Amino acid sequence: MAQSADIFSNIGKKEETGAAGVDPVRAQTAVSLFSQFGLTAIGFISTIYFTRVVDPAIVGVYFLFFSYCALFYLFSESGIGEASVKLISEGKSKNEYYTASMTLRLIYLLLCVAGLLVIAAVFPASVMMETGILWWIMTALVIDYFYSSRIYAAYADGKVNAFQVSLFLNTAVRSFFQIAAVYLGYHSVGLAGGFLAGMLLTVLFAHGYNRLKLVRFSKEIFRRVLTYAALIFLVMSCFLIYQNMDVVFIGHYLTETEAGIYRVMYQFSMLAGLAAISVKAVLYPKFSAWNEAKEYEKIAKGLRGGVSLSLMLAIPIFFSFLILGYDFISIFYGEAYVPGVSALFLLSFIQIITVFMYLQGICLNAVSHPKYAFLSIAAGILTNAGLNMMLIPAYGMEGAALATVIAMGLNAVLAYLFLRKVISVRYNWISILKMGVVSLLMCAFLLAFKHVLPITNVVLLLTAFVAGGLLYGFIMLKADKSIHDEAAEMAESFGVKWPKWL
C-alpha cells in the first residue's frame, strides 16, 4: 500500500506546469475549492435568512420547484453536459461535438416543454399546477438551454476556473436577488425569480469564455454524443436524484414543511462534500484526456489523491456535526428546523460515502466505461426509491436519510468493484484511518469546549467550530507526513512560504 497520500502527487507536473511554474491541477483545485466555499457560504446565509423570515411552507414550495427543476435538468446537464465534457476534452473534433450537443439540447428542451403542456392540460389538479410552479419550471428550462450550454462549453474546453466562477456567480446573483425580493415582501415570486435571474446573468458572463463554434457535424458525431449522453445520464443523474428524490418523496408522504426542513438539512450537510465537488470539477476532463493518451497510472494517482483530499474535509465535518449539529440548526435556522437534526447526522455521513461514489463514478465515465457505472448506479437508485417508500411513512425524515445511506453505500461498493477491473485502485487507508482518529480527538475538544463555555450564540458556535477545525488540521499535519508535504508544496507553488513550525 502506498504510504503517500498522493494528493495529485506531481501528476503530469513536468508536462503540464504553466509559465508561472504553478501546477495547473493544484491551481485549479485551489480555485475550485475556494469557489465552492464561497458559493456555499452565500447559499447558507441566504437560506438562514429565508428560514427566519419566510413561512416554512413557502420555503418548502420553493424547494419543490428547485427539486423538480433539478430532475428535469438531469439529462441536459448530467447527460449532455457531462458527455460534451468527456468528448470535447479528448481534443478531437471539438466544434463538431459542441454543435451536436447544442442540437441534442434543443431537441430535449422541446420534448420537456411539450411534456409540461400535457401535464397542465391533463392534470390540472397536480401539485405543480396547484402551487403554480409548472410555469416557473418551463421558464427555467428555456433559460437553462443557454446557461448549461455556455458553462459546459467552457468546462469542456479546459477553462475550469471560468466554469467554477460561473457557478459562483449564478449562486451569488440568485441569493442576492432572493434576499432583496424577500425583504421587499415578495416571498414566493422572489425565491423563484432569483433562481432564474442567477442563470440569466451567468449566461452573459460565460458566453465571453466560449471559443467553440457552431459547425456542420456528421451523423456519427451526433450518434456518439447521444450514446454518451444516454449512458452518462444514467450514471451522473444518480447524484442529482439522491439530492432531490428524498424531497419529492417527503413532499408526497408528509408535508411541504417537512420537505423544506429536510432540504435545508441536506444543503447544510453538503458542507462536508465541498472538496469532492471541487476535485471532480478539476479531475474529470483530465481523466478523460489521460485515458485518451493511455496514461492510466496518472488516473490511478489522481483518484487516490482526490479521495484523500475530499475525505480530509468530509470526515471531520461529519464528526463535528455530531457534537454541534443541534447548535448549528437552532442558532442558524431557528427552532422550527430542529426536528431535522437527527436527519442531519445521517446526511452528513452520506457525504463521506459520496466521496467514493462520486469520484469512482466520474472515473468510470472518463475511462470510457459508463456501462459499469450505470450498473452500480441503477442498483443504488432502485434501492433508494424502494426504501424511501418503506421508510418515510414509518420514520419520516430520518427514514429518507437512512434510505439514502444504504443506497449510496451499495452504489459505492459496486462502483469500486467495477473500477478495479479497469484500473489499479489503491486508496491510502492509513491516512484515512488517521483522519478518523484525529476527528475523535477533535470531538473530545468540542465536548470540553461546550462544557466550559455553553454555546448560546453564533460567536461561541463559530469559535468552537473553527477551533476544532484548526486543531484537527494541526494534528493531521503532524501525524501524516504525506499530507504535510502535499500542503507545503501546494502553498509554495502559489508563492506562500510554508511556516517552519508546521
Side-chain angles (χ1 to χ4, degrees):
M1 180 182 296
Q3 292 302 307
S4 170
D6 285 325
I7 304 175
F8 309 140
S9 58
N10 301 320
I11 301 173
K13 195 169 185 179
K14 184 176 181 180
E15 298 87 353
E16 297 177 19
T17 299
V22 178
D23 178 11
V25 176
R26 287 191 174 97
Q28 291 175 351
T29 301
V31 171
S32 179
L33 189 57
F34 290 140
S35 174
Q36 288 295 331
F37 272 115
L39 65 88
T40 301
I42 293 172
F44 281 165
I45 292 171
S46 61
T47 302
I48 291 170
Y49 177 70
F50 303 148
T51 58
R52 294 288 186 177
V53 177
V54 183
D55 185 272
I58 295 178
V59 176
V61 170
Y62 167 70
F63 281 128
L64 283 176
F65 160 65
F66 185 92
S67 297
Y68 277 120
C69 283
L71 293 175
F72 275 104
Y73 291 165
L74 284 178
F75 188 67
S76 65
E77 294 190 1
S78 298
I80 304 171
E82 296 289 338
S84 65
V85 172
K86 157 66 180 169
L87 297 172
I88 294 172
S89 63
E90 291 178 350
K92 301 175 182 177
S93 305
K94 288 186 176 183
N95 291 324
E96 288 81 353
Y97 283 123
Y98 169 66
T99 310
S101 68
M102 289 286 290
T103 303
L104 185 56
R105 285 183 186 279
L106 180 59
I107 295 172
Y108 177 68
L109 171 63
L110 295 175
L111 291 175
C112 287
V113 170
L116 286 170
L117 292 175
V118 170
I119 291 175
V122 178
F123 303 104
S126 66
V127 173
M128 286 194 290
M129 289 297 293
E130 289 183 345
T131 58
I133 63 177
L134 183 141
W135 308 111
W136 286 103
I137 294 172
M138 190 178 298
T139 305
L141 286 171
V142 174
I143 297 174
D144 181 68
Y145 173 78
F146 301 98
Y147 169 78
S148 293
S149 63
R150 292 300 178 270
I151 66 170
Y152 277 98
Y155 184 22
D157 203 25
K159 301 176 180 66
V160 178
N161 290 347
F163 174 73
Q164 289 296 331
V165 172
S166 295
L167 297 179
F168 176 83
L169 180 63
N170 179 26
T171 301
V173 173
R174 175 199 306 171
S175 299
F176 292 145
F177 185 101
Q178 290 173 332
I179 290 173
V182 168
Y183 177 78
L184 294 174
Y186 301 100
H187 293 183
S188 298
V189 174
L191 291 176
F195 184 87
L196 305 182
M199 290 194 295
L200 279 172
L201 286 182
T202 303
V203 168
L204 299 177
F205 170 80
H207 181 72
Y209 289 91
N210 182 26
R211 299 295 180 265
L212 300 175
K213 302 183 182 301
L214 297 175
V215 299
R216 294 179 63 88
F217 57 89
S218 65
K219 291 182 180 179
E220 176 60 25
I221 291 287
F222 184 81
R223 184 196 66 79
R224 194 164 187 235
V225 171
L226 177 59
T227 300
Y228 266 92
L231 290 172
I232 297 179
F233 157 71
L234 295 173
V235 177
M236 297 302 294
S237 61
C238 169
F239 306 118
L240 284 176
I241 286 177
Y242 282 141
Q243 291 178 17
N244 297 281
M245 178 187 288
D246 292 351
V247 175
V248 174
F249 272 105
I250 290 173
H252 174 73
Y253 285 110
L254 304 177
T255 66
E256 288 85 358
T257 298
E258 287 167 302
I261 292 174
Y262 185 88
R263 180 64 194 185
V264 168
M265 296 304 106
Y266 191 91
Q267 183 184 48
F268 192 70
S269 75
M270 289 181 69
L271 179 65
L274 290 183
I277 296 172
S278 302
V279 167
K280 177 265 179 185
V282 175
L283 287 183
Y284 181 48
K286 295 188 179 298
F287 280 169
S288 180
W290 291 336
N291 178 64
E292 188 71 12
K294 303 187 185 306
E295 296 176 312
Y296 302 119
E297 184 59 27
K298 287 184 178 181
I299 297 175
K301 287 182 178 180
L303 177 63
R304 180 169 62 248
V307 167
S308 296
L309 180 60
S310 300
L311 291 176
M312 273 285 293
L313 184 68
I315 291 176
I317 287 184
F318 162 68
F319 280 101
S320 67
F321 281 177
L322 292 180
I323 308 300
L324 302 175
Y326 175 85
D327 303 293
F328 270 116
I329 299 307
S330 61
I331 292 176
F332 278 9
Y333 299 109
E335 292 298 322
Y337 290 83
V338 168
V341 171
S342 297
L344 173 66
F345 299 150
L346 290 169
L347 292 171
S348 301
F349 182 72
I350 286 171
Q351 299 303 324
I352 296 176
I353 303 174
T354 300
V355 169
F356 294 96
M357 185 190 75
Y358 199 36
L359 297 183
Q360 288 171 167
I362 66 103
C363 190
L364 282 169
N365 289 342
V367 298
S368 302
H369 286 283
K371 291 182 180 179
Y372 283 158
F374 166 67
L375 292 176
S376 61
I377 274 186
I381 291 175
L382 293 175
T383 301
N384 196 28
L387 290 175
N388 270 326
M389 289 186 284
M390 291 188 294
L391 297 179
I392 291 177
Y395 302 105
M397 291 181 286
E398 291 80 4
L402 180 60
T404 305
V405 168
I406 297 171
M408 281 191 170
L410 174 64
N411 193 161
V413 170
L414 292 176
Y416 171 76
L417 295 175
F418 283 126
L419 190 57
R420 286 183 60 185
K421 296 181 178 181
V422 182
I423 64 172
S424 175
V425 182
R426 301 184 305 275
Y427 296 127
N428 194 329
W429 295 111
I430 293 178
S431 288
I432 294 172
L433 178 61
K434 290 178 181 178
M435 295 174 198
V437 173
V438 175
S439 294
L440 290 175
L441 295 176
M442 178 191 67
C443 285
F445 166 79
L446 293 176
L447 288 172
F449 186 100
K450 291 183 68 174
H451 179 73
V452 176
L453 292 173
I455 296 176
T456 57
N457 56 60
V458 68
V459 175
L460 287 172
L461 174 60
L462 293 180
T463 299
F465 184 70
V466 172
L470 291 174
L471 177 66
Y472 167 84
F474 179 78
I475 296 176
M476 281 302 302
L477 289 174
K478 294 296 185 181
D480 196 304
K481 186 177 184 301
S482 60
I483 292 176
H484 172 277
D485 293 345
E486 178 63 32
E489 280 189 40
M490 184 172 288
E492 291 173 1
S493 70
F494 285 94
V496 178
K497 187 175 180 180
W498 187 255
K500 292 184 179 180
W501 56 272
L502 284 175

